[in-house]
Amino acid sequence: MARLREFDEQKALDAAMHVFWEKGFEATSLSDLTSKMGIQRPSIYSAFGDKKELFEAALRKYTQFHASNVRARLQKKSSVKEAFRFYFESIVTEEYEEGPNRGCFCLNTMVELAPHDAKFEILTREHQMYLSAIFQETIERGIRSGELENVTNALALAQTLVVSLIGLTVMMKSRPDRSFMNNSIELTLSLLK
């Protein structure tokens, strides 16, 4: 008879996600994971597989959360221009006010693992494409409402905003001067005509 798990898998996965997000894949040890997850190695292997499989599960959990969060933030404002301003400015504000900068777990993975591991290249690219789709939906909402010009190429604009978002998020790791970031956001948002 199979033994019942004596821990909450989702809570353990959430803890693993935060460890990987803070330290990255290579720098995270199994001891780090067992300590933060509150479970022993056999339980990790039984529930999640090896370290790489656990990392993949944590990354998938993060990307689902992140995409939901992005969509919710963009829906907070009725104006599409205001929604994008709110979203981009909140990234800068949160990074300056919330202490140590972990950046985006998916982008960290893109930098650390995607160049060397095809699976993580695909997973991080899929997330970029999903963000682009969310941005495109928001832009198309602005076109339908008349707030944005009808001639706007929504797909190209969405992809450009994703590239800007990635650049912004990576730049924030070095805590640049706030005016540097504000100027960049202003120019990026000027693309929304």
Side-chain angles (χ1 to χ4, degrees):
M1 184 169 148
R3 199 171 136 200
L4 292 175
R5 293 212 166 100
E6 296 177 6
F7 64 93
D8 182 325
E9 274 191 42
Q10 289 306 308
K11 283 184 181 178
L13 183 57
D14 191 56
M17 179 186 74
H18 286 282
V19 174
F20 283 130
W21 189 356
E22 180 182 330
K23 297 182 118 186
F25 177 75
E26 290 297 332
T28 299
S29 69
L30 281 173
S31 295
D32 295 330
L33 291 167
T34 57
S35 171
K36 295 293 183 181
M37 294 171 75
I39 60 177
Q40 298 305 310
R41 288 179 190 205
S43 295
I44 290 176
Y45 295 131
S46 173
F48 303 105
D50 65 16
K51 179 181 166 186
K52 193 174 244 183
E53 290 170 313
L54 175 59
F55 185 87
E56 180 182 345
L59 179 62
R60 287 182 186 278
K61 181 178 179 81
Y62 173 85
T63 57
Q64 289 172 354
F65 161 78
H66 186 250
S68 257
N69 187 5
V70 170
R71 177 172 268 122
R73 286 181 181 210
L74 290 175
Q75 291 175 347
K76 271 190 172 185
K77 307 281 183 184
S78 58
S79 161
V80 167
K81 290 179 181 180
E82 287 178 26
F84 277 109
R85 177 171 301 284
F86 170 75
Y87 178 64
F88 276 79
E89 288 179 349
S90 70
I91 292 168
V92 173
T93 300
E94 288 167 8
E95 293 300 335
Y96 279 112
E97 293 175 358
E98 290 189 1
N101 184 347
R102 295 181 296 177
C104 169
F105 182 21
C106 187
L107 293 180
N108 295 346
T109 302
M110 185 174 60
V111 172
E112 181 184 14
L113 296 178
H116 316 291
D117 189 305
K119 179 183 276 189
F120 292 104
E121 176 187 341
I122 292 166
L123 288 173
T124 56
R125 185 174 43 235
E126 285 174 351
H127 187 58
Q128 294 161 29
M129 291 168 54
Y130 193 68
L131 291 177
S132 180
I134 293 170
F135 283 8
Q136 183 177 354
E137 290 169 12
T138 306
I139 291 164
E140 288 170 348
R141 177 170 52 101
I143 293 169
R144 283 191 305 277
S145 74
E147 183 181 359
L148 301 178
E149 293 176 2
N150 196 23
V151 296
T152 302
N153 181 336
L155 175 61
L157 181 53
Q159 291 169 338
T160 300
L161 291 175
V162 169
V163 170
S164 296
L165 171 65
I166 290 169
L168 177 74
T169 305
V170 172
M171 287 283 298
M172 288 306 300
K173 290 182 94 48
S174 68
R175 301 256 182 195
D177 183 77
R178 189 134 189 190
S179 65
F180 186 103
M181 303 312 291
N182 291 341
N183 290 337
S184 177
I185 289 171
E186 283 302 319
L187 188 56
T188 298
L189 296 178
S190 74
L191 297 172
L192 296 165
K193 298 178 183 177

